[in-house]
Amino acid sequence: MTTMTMREAISQALWEEMERDPDVFILGEEVGVWGGTYAVTKGFYDHFGADRVRDTPIAEAVIVGAAIGAAMAGLRPVAELMTINFAFSAMDHIVNEAAKMHYMFAGQMILPLVIRTVGGGGRQLAATHSQTPDAVFAHFPGLKVVAPGTPADAKGLLKASIRSNDPIFFIEHATLYQTRGEVPEGDYTIPIGKSIIQRQGKDVTIVTYSKMLEVSQKAADQLAKEGIEAEIIDLRTLRPLDMEPVIASFKKTNRAVIVEEGWLSYGVGAEISARIYEEAFDYVDAPIKRVAQKEVPLPYNRTLEQMALPQVADVINAVKEVL
Amino acid sequence: MEKSEYLKLFHEMVVIRRLEERAAELYQQGKIGGFLHLYIGQEAVCTGLISARQPVDRVITAYRDHGVAISCGLSAREVMAELLGKATGCSRGKGGSMHMADVSKNFWGGHAIVGAHLPIAVGLALADAYKSQPAVTICMFGDGATNIGYFHEALNLSKVWNLPVLWVCENNQYGMGTAVERASAVSEIRQKACGYRMPNDSVNGMDIIEVRETALRVLEEIRNGSGPQLLEINTYRFRGHSMGDPERYRKPEEVRKWEENDPIGIYQRYLIEHKIATEQELDEETSRAEAEIQDAVEFAEASPEPGAEELFAHIYSEA
Ligand SMILES: Cc1ncc(C[n+]2csc(CCOP(=O)(O)OP(=O)(O)O)c2C)c(N)n1
Ligand SMILES: [Mg+2]
């Protein structure tokens, strides 16, 4: 194991896969000369050259569209969308093309394609630049949606995504890049579509992913001081969704809090709680609680923005309500 | 122009320059958050262009919007207060640097999704044409924005419907770190108008007089029914794309070369050479602008934060 940041882990995954497979290439805005706006591809342009690290115009539809075409024709593109807020400019290609073609043409075409993008609020970027619309993308069958919360998972999941033959929408969180964690040495992958227990506990099940894993861990630390042991399940992949560890945990604790950064309505928490009620109704000892973003476009002002985002205290309060 | 009008333009350019310089300082002190895209180097563009508009003419732009806001008549106070996220800001602290607007001044906003406001400009102009208003919509955007589909959809439809839009490309040579010729098949942006049979022109954006005179002529033509036109204004941003830009994509010599064409310096020389104003008068104007910005900073710092009730205000206009 070595300790590294999320940024380094993602960067390593990309680097190693490009070294391993000459068909893997990167395209996107500022990925080359600039080195990536979040510095993930720093040094790639000099090492791999302009053919494999392709700077594009500001034109998200053709970034994703060209990645789809190249994937259909046998390459393994990793398209970078600078932030998830700009993915809307490529929505048609993501949901009407990438997510549909394998099925619609009865398996004739495969799309080994990764769309890497960056989501999340908390940096005072205001309404258009701070969104966490992960659930929107997870709505579409045909697309796989991955959103890691630790450096180790980010590396293993990204490598698995690049080797996968399906279109993957890979969401990184803007405020997790500096987060450090232990990462295994050498080549490894983590299967897409597997949730994991990140912390053992017996009193309550917290289901979360991405940035909110960090928030939930902090809440669990504080709850532990009061003698409350929370079990944390990290979804890691939103589609396909692996409910097994969630249900197993819930059958033990009989109480759940779901923590996500996106808006409450129609969100990840709505899906998870519905599944728990459907699959483990007999084990329910208290109404399931959801912690999510207040239903407003995120404001610029720091205090207002923090009021809208889910906080450690919100998770603690929700846990106490279900106990 | 009257002498006072010449001086007013000079004043405005210096106000924008000082506002941006102070904003950079406040950003470094952590008093401004998020992204901050400075307009330093481009002052002659918004000042010259918007000085040519009639009050009925609408202005809409991208996220590099502080200068445009000032030229539209917003006070330095409310711009600075917005940057500090205060309740007295033009968007009550909810929009920040990239999202300023004042509809009462016919300034329809800074829009932060590249190219997304161009189709909106089509709609603004459509409304004016529909109601037979003698208004032109001035839509400003960067060189980088001309490569996204929105640009092409908007130009095409504005021509098909013969709408009163002045498309203004502020070609500052880069979209973030990507030089125009690395992202655009034609490096002379005005050529893109030809595909839509649209009259077009290009001007030196470091020369406020040239910008203003061209804008006056073109706005008049559009008002008289020429249909949409595209104006490419060549300029340069002296600072990074936003704060914290490592600027690996350009050489310091290139920046220095452009800095020799400082739009404020050029205009200053013009005013003195044409005996419109004396050096002393311009110094006084500069001092007044500095005082105005000092006042704006003090006002913004002393202003209250938006209250908690602002969080849920304005999600909808009706219950
Ligand atoms: C659709 C979309 N893609 C990407 C971005 C990120 N981005 C913000 S500004 C910018 C560069 C724009 O360049 P240009 O249009 O030339 O304007 P300038 O910054 O030079 O004023 C990019 C890529 C964005 N805001 N919107
Ligand atoms: Mg530009």
Side-chain angles (χ1 to χ4, degrees):
Chain A
M1 290 278 186
T2 30
T3 307
M4 67 177 74
T5 62
M6 191 89 155
R7 182 194 326 275
E8 286 161 344
I10 293 168
S11 185
Q12 265 191 12
L14 282 168
W15 187 282
E16 288 173 15
E17 291 307 298
M18 287 183 75
E19 291 285 18
R20 203 182 63 83
D21 182 350
D23 286 343
V24 176
F25 73 100
I26 295 174
L27 72 166
E29 293 158 23
E30 309 298 340
V31 295
V33 173
W34 189 295
T37 32
Y38 294 91
V40 168
T41 53
K42 200 169 158 193
F44 279 54
Y45 186 83
D46 290 338
H47 183 74
F48 293 106
D51 276 352
R52 295 186 70 197
V53 186
R54 307 184 80 96
D55 278 324
T56 66
I58 307 162
E60 283 74 11
V62 77
I63 293 170
V64 176
I68 293 171
M72 288 161 72
L75 299 182
R76 293 193 168 270
V78 179
E80 178 175 317
L81 295 179
M82 194 179 284
T83 82
I84 201 165
N85 308 284
F86 316 145
F88 299 124
S89 307
M91 205 61 178
D92 228 326
H93 290 86
I94 297 167
V95 308
N96 265 337
E97 302 291 341
K100 302 291 189 286
M101 264 191 280
H102 185 70
Y103 181 86
M104 205 166 62
F105 298 119
Q108 294 180 73
M109 297 165 195
I110 61 161
L111 285 81
L113 136 86
V114 181
I115 301 167
R116 279 185 51 236
T117 191
V118 184
R123 299 191 307 147
Q124 283 197 269
L125 297 181
T128 60
H129 275 56
S130 304
Q131 298 170 98
T132 312
D134 309 352
V136 172
F137 294 91
H139 192 59
F140 296 92
L143 201 64
K144 291 183 178 171
V145 179
V146 178
T150 67
D153 282 350
K155 183 169 177 191
L157 282 164
L158 183 54
K159 286 169 81 83
S161 298
I162 293 170
R163 295 181 201 181
S164 160
N165 282 338
D166 288 316
I168 314 272
F169 196 74
F170 193 93
I171 307 170
E172 297 159 20
H173 197 288
T175 65
L176 280 183
Y177 280 122
Q178 303 287 17
T179 300
R180 296 186 152 272
E182 298 265 285
V183 175
E185 311 270 356
D187 188 35
Y188 72 98
T189 59
I190 289 174
I192 294 159
K194 287 276 172 243
S195 307
I196 190 178
I197 301 174
Q198 290 281 14
R199 181 190 188 111
Q200 308 261 351
K202 59 174 176 32
D203 298 322
V204 59
T205 302
I206 297 177
V207 186
T208 189
Y209 72 98
S210 185
K211 171 74 175 180
M212 289 299 120
L213 173 62
E214 192 179 87
V215 170
S216 301
Q217 289 280 23
K218 284 184 186 153
D221 287 344
Q222 291 193 31
L223 288 163
K225 288 181 196 146
E226 301 177 36
I228 300 165
E229 290 178 27
E231 183 149 286
I232 300 179
I233 312 290
D234 178 1
L235 296 171
R236 303 195 293 189
T237 303
L238 299 180
R239 180 184 278 275
L241 180 61
D242 174 21
M243 283 299 288
E244 217 179 277
V246 177
I247 298 296
S249 174
F250 188 76
K251 285 184 175 172
K252 189 170 69 178
T253 65
N254 313 105
R255 294 152 207 284
V257 170
I258 303 145
V259 189
E260 69 184 302
E261 186 180 308
W263 292 299
L264 187 80
S265 300
Y266 309 100
V268 174
E271 179 63 27
I272 302 292
S273 69
R275 299 262 198 131
I276 295 174
Y277 285 124
E278 283 165 0
E279 295 172 33
F281 187 71
D282 292 343
Y283 295 84
V284 176
D285 278 359
I288 295 165
K289 277 266 147 200
R290 292 179 286 159
V291 176
Q293 190 175 136
K294 304 277 187 313
E295 308 242 341
V296 301
L298 271 192
Y300 162 71
N301 175 275
R302 186 192 295 278
T303 312
L304 293 184
E305 183 186 31
Q306 289 303 321
M307 277 170 64
L309 288 170
Q311 304 293 335
V312 174
D314 299 323
V315 180
I316 292 172
N317 292 339
V319 166
K320 290 187 173 166
E321 279 181 58
V322 303
L323 282 178
Chain B
M1 266 199 296
E2 299 285 319
K3 175 173 179 175
S4 64
E5 289 175 82
Y6 278 107
L7 286 177
K8 188 175 161 292
L9 293 182
F10 181 80
H11 179 87
E12 192 174 305
M13 285 169 81
V14 180
V15 161
I16 296 170
R17 174 71 53 95
R18 291 289 177 273
L19 180 120
E20 297 292 59
E21 287 169 349
R22 290 302 294 275
E25 284 170 27
L26 292 165
Y27 191 89
Q28 259 131 16
Q29 294 164 16
K31 290 179 180 164
I32 295 174
F35 290 152
L36 183 72
H37 306 89
L38 301 178
Y39 203 67
I40 295 175
Q42 301 182 214
E43 294 90 345
V45 180
C46 68
T47 310
L49 175 70
I50 295 169
S51 76
R53 80 160 170 172
Q54 307 279 324
V56 288
D57 296 338
R58 303 170 192 267
V59 174
I60 187 167
T61 190
Y63 47 84
R64 201 177 293 285
D65 59 354
H66 318 155
V68 178
I70 295 289
S71 292
C72 284
L74 278 76
S75 69
R77 281 185 163 200
E78 54 197 327
V79 171
M80 197 54 97
E82 189 59 37
L83 291 173
L84 268 69
K86 296 301 182 76
T88 50
C90 55
S91 305
R92 297 202 202 180
K94 286 157 74 160
S97 162
M98 302 193 287
H99 309 106
M100 299 193 179
D102 186 342
V103 167
S104 74
K105 307 253 161 52
N106 236 339
F107 173 43
W108 294 85
H111 296 259
I113 300 299
V114 168
H117 62 291
L118 279 74
I120 295 169
V122 172
L124 294 173
L126 172 63
D128 288 326
Y130 196 93
K131 298 207 159 173
S132 306
Q133 298 289 329
V136 179
T137 293
I138 300 170
C139 178
M140 304 169 72
F141 48 87
D143 45 280
T146 67
N147 302 316
I148 197 164
Y150 303 138
F151 168 86
H152 298 274
E153 296 180 37
L155 257 70
N156 182 62
L157 189 57
S158 71
K159 181 67 184 182
V160 169
W161 286 348
N162 203 38
L163 297 173
V165 188
L166 175 55
W167 300 110
V168 179
C169 178
E170 287 189 78
N171 183 349
N172 62 6
Q173 319 304 322
Y174 292 92
M176 287 193 74
T178 306
V180 171
E181 57 279 7
R182 292 185 66 230
S184 176
V186 290
S187 48
E188 216 191 359
I189 302 292
R190 62 180 293 194
Q191 288 180 26
K192 294 188 181 184
C194 301
Y196 305 104
R197 283 195 305 117
M198 196 178 287
N200 56 82
D201 204 345
S202 103
V203 297
N204 172 10
M206 299 317 223
D207 180 349
I208 184 172
I209 298 297
E210 192 178 327
V211 173
R212 182 182 147 84
E213 281 172 0
T214 310
L216 280 168
R217 170 179 60 74
V218 172
L219 285 170
E220 201 48 32
E221 286 170 11
I222 298 174
R223 214 179 305 282
N224 292 330
S226 78
Q229 299 201 29
L230 183 137
L231 185 59
E232 175 177 6
I233 304 188
N234 286 297
T235 179
Y236 198 79
R237 63 168 159 69
F238 292 174
R239 300 291 182 96
H241 167 72
S242 58
M243 298 297 287
D245 172 355
E247 295 190 58
R248 274 192 288 265
Y249 50 85
R250 63 183 188 184
K251 298 209 163 65
E253 303 86 76
E254 178 186 307
V255 180
R256 269 200 297 279
K257 203 190 100 222
W258 278 90
E259 277 172 346
E260 284 164 18
N261 286 321
D262 187 316
I264 296 178
I266 289 176
Y267 189 43
Q268 186 159 11
R269 281 196 297 279
Y270 174 92
L271 292 175
I272 292 168
E273 274 163 25
H274 289 76
K275 304 217 178 339
I276 298 165
T278 64
E279 198 157 347
Q280 196 195 337
E281 284 171 316
L282 296 180
D283 285 348
E284 281 165 19
E285 213 55 69
T286 301
S287 307
R288 266 197 288 280
E290 270 157 11
E292 195 174 322
I293 296 306
Q294 180 57 30
D295 165 75
V297 173
E298 283 164 17
F299 170 82
E301 299 219 64
S303 288
E305 300 268 325
E309 72 288 351
E310 271 299 327
L311 185 59
F312 290 98
H314 306 116
I315 299 172
Y316 301 106
S317 63
E318 295 173 355

